[in-house]
Amino acid sequence: VSDARKVAIEHSCPVLIELMTYRVGHHSTSDDSTAYRSIDEVNYWDKEDSPVGRLGLYLVKNKLWDSEQENAYAKECRKEIMRSFNVAESSLKPSPYLVFDDVFDVHSAQLREQRDKMRLHLAEYGKHYNLDDYDAD
């Protein structure tokens, strides 16, 4: 990083820095990462070699952060999470059609066909899905 900083300053240009870290959690709720890596491996990276943990130790060592700040920040984060959770819980669920809009800029013929099939399915069986709980298309 210090070499990259030196280049950026001396040449007045941007520098790409590639960093690697370890994903401790699963990719999603449908992913069980213990199928392809051991719990010991995950625990090592989480407890022994976590970049977040190292940053925290650095901040504490340099008197830039302390346990009082950590506790106050954690408390404020919990409050914000609960506020956001309450807003989400009182809002309509997103339209089921968003699943088609989040991947490709231009829909393929196959994707349009799948969307049309879903529309027909919901027209016929929508009463089984509580569609009033969802935002309109």
Side-chain angles (χ1 to χ4, degrees):
V1 173
S2 60
D3 289 343
R5 181 181 184 278
K6 183 179 176 184
V7 168
I9 290 171
E10 288 178 4
H11 299 284
S12 188
C13 67
V15 178
L16 176 66
I17 300 174
E18 180 181 11
L19 303 171
M20 295 177 64
T21 188
Y22 188 85
R23 177 183 45 80
V24 175
H26 306 293
H27 280 290
S28 67
T29 56
S30 63
D31 173 43
D32 178 9
S33 64
T34 60
Y36 49 85
R37 60 186 184 172
S38 72
I39 292 177
D40 289 339
E41 176 186 335
V42 173
N43 286 337
Y44 167 78
W45 285 101
D46 187 32
K47 305 289 185 239
E48 302 296 325
D49 201 13
S50 164
V52 174
R54 286 196 312 268
L55 175 61
L57 291 174
Y58 172 85
L59 293 173
V60 169
K61 179 181 174 186
N62 289 284
K63 301 192 184 324
L64 300 168
W65 196 250
D66 60 31
S67 59
E68 188 176 307
Q69 289 170 296
E70 181 72 23
N71 292 335
Y73 184 65
K75 186 176 179 179
E76 184 55 38
C77 286
R78 279 191 290 277
K79 284 181 187 177
E80 179 61 28
I81 289 168
M82 291 311 296
R83 280 192 294 268
S84 299
F85 182 79
N86 288 332
V87 167
E89 283 287 300
S90 63
S91 300
L92 290 174
K93 296 175 185 175
S95 168
Y97 296 102
L98 284 178
V99 71
F100 298 103
D101 296 333
D102 228 10
V103 179
F104 299 105
D105 184 35
V106 177
H107 292 168
S108 66
Q110 182 182 16
L111 198 58
R112 286 191 303 272
E113 179 183 342
Q114 289 173 352
R115 184 181 172 109
D116 292 343
K117 284 182 179 180
M118 185 170 133
R119 189 177 306 282
L120 291 171
H121 177 82
L122 291 178
E124 186 171 348
Y125 301 104
K127 63 181 179 251
H128 301 290
Y129 293 101
N130 299 321
L131 294 177
D132 290 341
D133 293 345
Y134 292 84
D135 197 5
D137 185 8

